[in-house]
Amino acid sequence: MQFATWNVNSLKVRLPQLLEWLAANPEMTAVALQETKLEDSAFPKADLEAAGYHVAFIGQKTYNGVAIVSRAPLDDVVVNIPGFDDEQRRVIAATVNGIRFICAYVVNGQAVSSDKYVYKLRWIKALTDYVAAELKQYPELILAGDYNIAPEDRDVHDPAKWVGEVLVSAPERAAFRQLLALGLIDSFREFEQPEKSFSWWDYRMFAFKRNAGLRIDHLLISKALKDRLKACVIDKEPRKVERPSDHTPVIVTIE
DNA sequence: ATGGCGAGAGAATCTCGA
């Protein structure tokens, strides 16, 4: 089975692309979506269910919004980070085929000097505590999402230009390592990968053509799943179509 | 140094993303 993460940057715009991509990926069990940008009343539940998928979602107007779209039933759905007071809709979790699948849209942070950056670090700490508790209950766990962190310089097209900037700053990278310290594994780095592998490219300046991107979308798996991990790839195809999201899906294959 | 592009809200031109 496969699990994926994809920041769709508006599900309203990207719904046809999502349906096409799911049809083209028949082994896909469940995909975690970020930036749906839809209130729950506007979520395309009927369309997705008519196409044969199970859905769980939590959203808001204009910003944020997360969802899980699955071929398998979704059990024990939990929205947001329990106990963390946050109006922004950024987290949803469900159990899929016995695996706890958590979808997170990590705060962007805007700039290292901003209030949003402070919120970002505080938010990741809350997520880390939440995932630590989830791991105790669900040893088999995947933390999927747009982390808005490029973990290492090799995840950045031009590291020199990005030094100290938001998405690559030392405190953000330290926060990412704190997630790994829970016993999570960056599934992408368990395999040999092409150099300059990225999951996001700016819409501007022909960034995709120039491969001027960042790897900020990740699938962290728990140690209990490591022996069943068979592959992790970035699927660049959806970034090539007309009117794409600026992010492209990342996919793990679990035996 | 700044904006580039795209999406949403809402009705011209903002904010926000990364």
Side-chain angles (χ1 to χ4, degrees):
Chain A
M1 51 185 164
Q2 294 180 323
F3 293 83
T5 184
W6 189 5
N7 179 326
V8 290
N9 184 21
S10 168
L11 184 56
K12 183 181 172 186
V13 173
R14 240 62 72 183
L15 179 61
Q17 295 178 29
L18 173 65
L19 288 167
E20 195 176 333
W21 180 81
L22 285 165
N25 288 272
E27 301 306 313
M28 189 60 52
T29 301
V31 56
L33 305 178
Q34 303 86 36
E35 286 205 87
T36 55
K37 300 187 179 180
L38 291 172
E39 288 183 302
D40 290 348
S41 60
F43 192 90
K45 184 175 189 283
D47 295 295
L48 286 161
E49 287 180 347
Y53 302 104
H54 303 264
V55 293
F57 50 90
I58 177 94
Q60 64 190 99
K61 196 191 265 192
T62 312
Y63 302 117
N64 309 312
V66 285
I68 296 171
V69 176
S70 175
R71 287 192 165 94
L74 298 171
D75 298 321
D76 302 318
V77 173
V78 172
V79 299
N80 303 318
I81 299 172
F84 181 69
D85 189 26
D86 189 6
E87 289 180 2
Q88 302 191 12
R89 302 314 191 198
R90 294 179 173 278
V91 180
I92 190 162
T95 300
V96 189
N97 288 350
I99 292 173
R100 195 61 173 166
F101 189 48
I102 305 177
C103 168
Y105 174 46
V106 175
V107 177
N108 172 289
Q110 198 168 55
V112 291
S113 57
S114 68
D115 291 346
K116 289 174 182 172
Y117 182 83
V118 176
Y119 167 55
K120 179 176 192 173
L121 293 178
R122 197 168 63 84
W123 192 94
I124 297 170
K125 177 66 169 76
L127 177 73
T128 305
D129 292 345
Y130 172 46
V131 173
E134 289 282 280
L135 276 165
K136 285 179 184 156
Q137 196 179 345
Y138 306 100
E140 297 184 348
L141 181 149
I142 300 173
L143 180 59
D146 174 357
Y147 286 64
N148 271 314
I149 298 172
E152 301 176 52
D153 278 355
R154 60 177 165 165
D155 302 312
V156 180
H157 66 97
D158 185 351
K161 200 163 106 181
W162 278 82
V163 169
E165 296 288 337
V166 73
L167 312 188
V168 309
S169 74
E172 291 166 87
R173 286 177 167 176
F176 185 83
R177 289 194 297 271
Q178 284 301 111
L179 282 165
L180 299 180
L182 298 177
L184 297 176
I185 296 157
D186 182 353
S187 52
F188 189 73
R189 293 299 181 201
E190 290 296 296
F191 303 93
E192 190 144 340
Q193 301 289 359
E195 279 186 35
K196 298 194 178 297
S197 288
F198 307 124
S199 64
W200 169 87
W201 300 262
D202 201 304
Y203 283 123
R204 297 166 288 191
M205 305 288 284
F206 304 103
F208 184 62
K209 262 184 198 165
R210 297 188 294 117
N211 196 29
L214 302 172
R215 190 176 72 95
I216 55 177
D217 300 274
H218 309 297
L219 290 152
L220 303 192
I221 64 159
S222 62
K223 281 180 178 159
L225 285 175
K226 188 177 177 182
D227 290 345
R228 291 163 60 195
L229 176 65
K230 293 301 159 195
C232 180
V233 297
I234 294 172
D235 180 5
K236 288 172 82 170
E237 293 307 312
R239 191 62 177 79
K240 299 174 182 172
V241 305
E242 285 290 312
R243 217 179 168 189
S245 170
D246 44 356
H247 297 251
T248 211
V250 185
I251 305 169
V252 281
T253 304
I254 304 282
E255 194 172 59

